Structure formats: C-alpha cells, structure tokens
Amino acid sequence: MKFVRPGVLVLAACAACAACADEPQPAAEQAAAASASTPAAASNAPLRFVDVAAASGVTAITWCGRPEKPHLLESGGTGLALFDADRDGDLDLYLVNGWRLSGKEVAGRPGNVFYRNRGDGTFEDATASSGLADGGFGCGVEVGDVDSNGTLDVFVTNFGPDTLYLGRGDGTFERASSSPGVDGWSAGAALFDGDRDGDLDLFVAGYIQATLEEVLAAEPTLDWKDLKVMFGPFGMEGERDAYFVNDGKGHFSDATEVAGVEDVGLFYGFGVLACDLDDDLDLDLYVANDSNPNYLYENDGTGHFKDVGLWSGAALESSGRAQAGMGVAAGDVDGDGRADLMVTNFADDFSTLYLNQGNRLFRDVTAAWGVRGPTYKPLSWGVVFEDFDLDGHRDIYVANGHIYPQASLVPEQSLGYEQTNLVLLNEGQRFRDVSVEAGPGLEVKGSSRGVAAGDLDRDGDVDLVIANVDQPPTILRNESPRRGKWLVVDAPGALRVEVRCGERVFVRHQVHGGSFCSVSDRRFHFGLGDIARADEVAAVFSDGKRVTQTDVALERVIVLSR
C-alpha cells in the first residue's frame, strides 16, 4: 500500500473531527423535525413517494465486495443512469454493478444490468441483447453522444480500466475499440463540451490507488468508535483525475496537464459535474473530494481551466474546514437564475449548500436554509435538485448509507449501516425536512449510493431511482400533491433553458455528471406553480444563440433544436 505525502494530509481536517462533535445546530433542528411528524402533519403530507421497484420488474442486486467490507473499495457502491437508449420517448435504466467477494477470493462478476422501459413505468431486463453487460468492478456511469452521430453512448468507470460503449440508437451498444479513462479506481465522470468545439470531452475523477491483491488481503485495522473498521482514505495514495479531449469522432487524447486539471494534490475524487456556473457560456467543472478541499475549475472558454475553489468559497464549508465530499448537485434553488451547488458528506457532519452569488463566488448557507440539521447524522451520497410538487421551487433528495457495517453495532451513536433517505421541501428561502411525512418510499432502509431522477411513467412529475449496496435498487414513484403545472424542454446541447411568464423567469441549467456516479434525465424539467401558460421558452447555447418558442401551452414536452 502506498501512502500520501505528509503535505497532503495537513491540507484538511478529518470529516469526523472534534469541531463537528460540538455542533449545536443539528440537535435543535432534529427536534423540530421530530415534532413535525405528528399524525396531523402526516395527513397533509406535502410530498409522497412509493417504492415500486419489485412491481416494476427491477430486481437485480448491485454488489460491492464482501458483507463485512474490510477494504475501502467495498464501501463505494455504484451509480446508475436514466436515459432513452432506444429513442422511444421512455427513460431506460442502466445499473452499474460491482463484484461479489468472499474471503480472499472473487466469488462472482455479475455484470451491469440494462432495463428497457416498456412505456408504462415497468421494465424488462434487456441486458443480454443490449451489449452493455460489462463484467468489470463497476463504480459509475455517464451518458452522451461522443461520436456525434445522434445516438447516446455510455461510459462506465471501474476499479480497473474504464469502458466506453457506442450506441446504435435502438437500445443496443457495441464496446468501443479503445476507451479513455483511468486504469485504476475511478468514480464520477462528466461528458461535456469543454472547449466549445461541438463535441463531448471527458473528465474522470480518480479516487485511490489499490490493487486487487490488496483488496482481497485487506483486514479491518482502523479504530472507529471502539471497533475495527476498514482503513482509509487517509494513508492511501490518491488516484489522479484525468481529462480527455475528443477529436469529434469519438477518439480521445489525454489533455489533463495542458487543460489545467492536473489534480496536483492527488485528492480523493468522488462526485463530478460540469455546468455553466458563472453564466459566461462555457462549462465549468466541480469535483467533490473526500476529506480534502473540493475543486472548482473555471473554464476560460477554450477548454483551459483554473482551480478557483478556495477563493470562490465552494471548496470548504464556512468555517474553513474540508469535508468528506461524496455527491454533488447543481441548479437554481433560490430563484435568482444562477446555478447553486450542494455537496454531500460523511456521517456526523452536514452536507453543504452553497448559493451562487455571481462573479464566481459562493456562500455556505447550510444552516440558514435548514439543511444542516437533517443532513448531520446520516452518511450521504447521491443528491439531486428537483421540483417534486411542481410549485416552482426545487427540492432536494439525498441518498444515505454508512460505509461501515459495524455502524449497526453502535445504534446510540449512529443511524446504522442501512439508513433511510432524505427529502427536503423548498419553501422559498428555506428547506424543511419532510422525510417522515413523505410516504412509504421514504421508510425504505438501505446503504444507498447513486440517485437518478426522471419521469419514468410520463405523468409529468419527477420519479427517482436509488442504487443500494448489496440490494436491488429502490424506485420511487412520485405521488406528491401537485401545486402547479409542468413543462419538459428537450434542448440537446443547450447550457440552460429559461421559461418566462410576465415578470417571472424560471431557469434550469444543464448538468453533466452529478449526483453520485449517476445520470439523471438530461431534458429540462420545470415545475411552474400557478402559471397557466408560458410567454416564452428559450434555450441558450454556448455561442450565445437563443432558440425560442412563444405562447407555449404547458403539461407537455417541447423540443428546441439548435
């Protein structure tokens, strides 16, 4: 096992440091949340979700090593993707799978699983015919048209060589003759047009360096709450991030150093997203680093990046402490038209909400916006911003689950290994934890990781799929009371879409990557509250071009092509 340089270790405090233990805010907010979970409150539940995974035909288990999890690799779990693989208008589901380990041996390599959406919210296993049955130790997934032929392709990150699959547009794929990526443990990835030349480039986050021999030989050696648990990540060598430039035909060359994203600290990269965070018509990069400062790479418009994370305010929480970044989300949660950020973090530490102040500056508003208390105890992973009740405000869904199976042995100090997930309702200037009121789907316990969002049954609201370690996924059908109308805008290549009605403007930004190693529907989904009709819908592209429709009826899908 290699060890990191001492200089890297002193850059950040541990996510479970003493400063976290004295946090006064969570107890008060948790008590407030508990008092809200009365029968009267439940009868007026603002959101409601029902787990329909088994009824939908999605029963595949996603594995990650051994039940006892002696090596850090076995803690990471996997992501998933929702995308229209066969161009029939329905969102299909791709589950990334790890390996089953037993003792010091590989017990099974079950492979990734592809489910075709039948069009009624149920799925059929089409893995065998899809060509997507990757047998690697999978981690994450990203989707995009890398060869510019009009069909979606799939990129899978692995413990080992990453894999690119080229789509035929009919729900079948072929493995590319060569694939960019990291030949190690890679996690999040983003396919995005970094240099504004019209094709998709690729950023991949590396986590740690390890060999299969080290994984199989691992024993719990780290002291945690008077128990022995898996070792890491501190004391392990970080795996380098990598950036690849596309030649327009799906062939990639490594441009990590020249592009300015060299990962000089060899930080432990997990969640990745690309989004226009400064509204200058190019895509910036944000990387959640475990136990180290996060990276925010500002794009100069030509595919050259500069890390501005520390001075932007988005690298650390407000007291100047690095956290254990896992998942990431971007989107406008305060209605000012700018893309805000959220990073999920380790247990006994809050997930952090950063509001975009403009001019490449972000402000930690976690406590003021009610996010600190609900997120403090869980260990959190995938996260999405979506408007679940269509009232015009974007809510938050967070997947939770511990990395230590031993957490279930200390219930007085921990929520356990399997945890329930969170849904936070946006009430305008603050989020309220409504998880205990949000139906049986929020009572499901698991050690959850990736989250993907999209309208699975084409009823106009956003559903969710959650990957669970060593269990089948959870599929949450959204049955929330509707507080407005909806609109879906299909605008491939757009940086953002704006819906205008009188003086009101709703903005959705395109996010490449995001959540935890997962892919949500890339169309722009709007909840519009009490708006009856849109005066104008505009898609904005990287060259400044605006494609518009005026006097737009709602409750439908429209296409804005460049």
Side-chain angles (χ1 to χ4, degrees):
M1 183 69 67
K2 295 182 179 179
F3 292 86
V4 294
R5 299 176 299 279
V8 174
L9 289 174
V10 299
L11 286 174
C14 172
C17 67
C20 305
D22 295 328
E23 187 64 58
Q25 186 71 24
E29 292 196 24
Q30 286 172 351
S35 67
S37 59
T38 63
S43 65
N44 298 300
L47 299 177
R48 177 177 170 82
F49 297 90
V50 177
D51 182 13
V52 297
S56 299
V58 177
T59 58
I61 296 173
T62 48
W63 299 98
C64 194
R66 293 158 285 202
E68 58 273 22
K69 312 300 181 196
H71 192 276
L72 195 62
L73 175 67
E74 300 166 89
S75 73
T78 56
L80 57 134
L82 285 174
F83 68 110
D84 187 1
D86 50 11
R87 297 188 290 188
D88 65 352
D90 301 308
L91 294 176
D92 306 302
L93 172 63
Y94 187 55
L95 303 176
V96 179
N97 215 338
W99 291 354
R100 292 178 58 232
L101 306 180
S102 178
K104 307 299 182 184
E105 303 291 336
V106 176
R109 305 182 185 192
N112 301 341
V113 184
F114 176 70
Y115 284 100
R116 179 177 284 114
N117 192 330
R118 293 190 177 100
D120 58 2
T122 66
F123 296 83
E124 60 177 328
D125 188 336
T127 309
S129 61
S130 71
L132 287 169
D134 193 304
F137 198 124
C139 299
V141 59
E142 172 64 325
V143 172
D145 181 7
V146 302
D147 49 7
S148 304
N149 67 349
T151 64
L152 291 175
D153 310 305
V154 174
F155 177 77
V156 179
T157 63
N158 290 308
F159 173 63
D162 299 331
T163 311
L164 175 64
Y165 294 92
L166 302 177
R168 300 188 180 99
D170 60 356
T172 66
F173 297 77
E174 62 178 324
R175 189 166 182 157
S177 57
S178 62
S179 174
V182 175
D183 187 2
W185 182 358
S186 53
L191 283 164
F192 69 107
D193 186 2
D195 49 12
R196 299 202 294 186
D197 64 353
D199 53 48
L200 297 181
D201 309 303
L202 173 67
F203 181 89
V204 183
Y207 188 55
I208 65 162
Q209 294 185 20
T211 66
L212 181 58
E213 291 73 21
E214 290 171 335
V215 172
L216 294 174
E219 298 287 348
T221 59
L222 180 67
D223 291 314
W224 176 81
K225 297 184 185 294
D226 298 322
L227 297 167
K228 292 293 186 182
V229 297
M230 67 180 71
F231 178 77
F234 280 142
M236 293 177 158
E237 182 84 6
E239 183 65 75
R240 68 184 287 268
D241 300 338
Y243 178 67
F244 302 88
V245 172
N246 191 341
D247 70 355
K249 300 179 182 178
H251 302 113
F252 294 85
S253 57
D254 191 325
T256 308
E257 185 174 353
V258 69
V261 291
E262 197 175 358
D263 187 14
V264 293
L266 285 181
F267 293 165
Y268 311 123
F270 255 155
V272 172
L273 63 80
C275 181
D276 185 5
L277 296 172
D278 50 10
D279 292 320
D280 63 352
L281 301 182
D282 57 42
L283 291 164
D284 309 295
L285 271 169
Y286 189 65
V287 184
N289 290 314
D290 184 0
S291 305
N292 283 292
N294 303 318
Y295 291 132
L296 196 166
Y297 291 113
E298 177 191 1
N299 191 342
D300 71 357
T302 68
H304 294 88
F305 299 84
K306 179 181 179 181
D307 180 20
V308 298
L310 287 172
W311 72 257
S312 76
L316 309 168
E317 53 89 27
S318 59
S319 69
R321 179 175 55 89
Q323 297 173 281
M326 306 292 183
V328 287
D332 180 15
V333 300
D334 59 352
D336 66 357
R338 295 188 288 259
D340 308 303
L341 292 167
M342 184 163 172
V343 183
T344 58
N345 294 303
F346 203 79
D348 298 322
D349 192 11
F350 52 86
S351 295
T352 308
L353 177 65
Y354 300 97
L355 288 191
N356 191 334
Q357 306 297 291
N359 297 316
R360 302 171 185 84
L361 297 175
F362 290 81
R363 180 165 59 97
D364 176 356
V365 298
T366 309
W369 276 68
V371 174
R372 181 187 296 248
T375 63
Y376 186 81
K377 290 299 294 183
L379 200 167
S380 301
W381 299 83
V383 55
V384 293
F385 294 149
E386 296 290 347
D387 185 357
F388 295 118
D389 57 359
L390 308 178
D391 67 347
H393 302 294
R394 301 190 80 172
D395 311 305
I396 299 173
Y397 186 90
V398 180
N400 300 320
H402 218 288
I403 63 173
Y404 305 143
Q406 297 87 344
S408 297
L409 302 177
V410 286
E412 73 283 359
Q413 303 177 46
S414 166
L415 297 179
Y417 177 63
E418 295 184 347
Q419 302 178 3
T420 54
N421 296 333
L422 290 172
V423 61
L424 308 180
L425 183 72
N426 189 336
E427 297 185 318
Q429 292 294 316
R430 187 175 176 86
F431 288 95
R432 177 165 64 94
D433 182 5
V434 297
S435 307
V436 297
E437 310 167 56
L442 270 293
E443 298 172 3
V444 176
K445 278 193 171 185
S447 192
S448 300
R449 297 296 186 265
V451 177
D455 184 1
L456 297 177
D457 46 12
R458 294 209 280 187
D459 66 349
D461 57 28
V462 176
D463 309 299
L464 295 161
V465 186
I466 302 99
N468 301 310
V469 174
D470 300 340
Q471 291 181 347
T474 306
I475 298 182
L476 296 186
R477 185 176 64 210
N478 188 352
E479 297 182 352
S480 301
R482 298 192 178 194
R483 295 175 172 82
K485 296 185 180 296
W486 59 272
L487 181 69
V488 173
V489 182
D490 189 358
L495 295 179
R496 66 178 184 269
V497 171
E498 303 166 357
V499 175
R500 298 177 181 270
C501 184
E503 297 298 316
R504 300 178 67 182
V505 182
F506 300 83
V507 179
R508 297 289 181 267
H509 296 80
Q510 183 58 272
V511 177
H512 304 263
S515 184
F516 176 75
C517 300
S518 296
V519 178
S520 294
D521 184 11
R522 291 281 164 74
R523 297 175 300 176
F524 300 82
H525 189 284
F526 290 83
L528 295 168
D530 58 3
I531 287 178
R533 198 173 184 90
D535 295 334
E536 180 186 78
V537 180
V540 181
F541 296 85
S542 60
D543 59 0
K545 182 177 181 180
R546 294 172 63 91
V547 177
T548 64
Q549 283 189 25
T550 58
D551 192 23
V552 177
L554 306 182
E555 307 272 274
R556 64 192 183 109
V557 179
I558 67 170
V559 178
L560 295 181
S561 299
R562 189 169 181 171

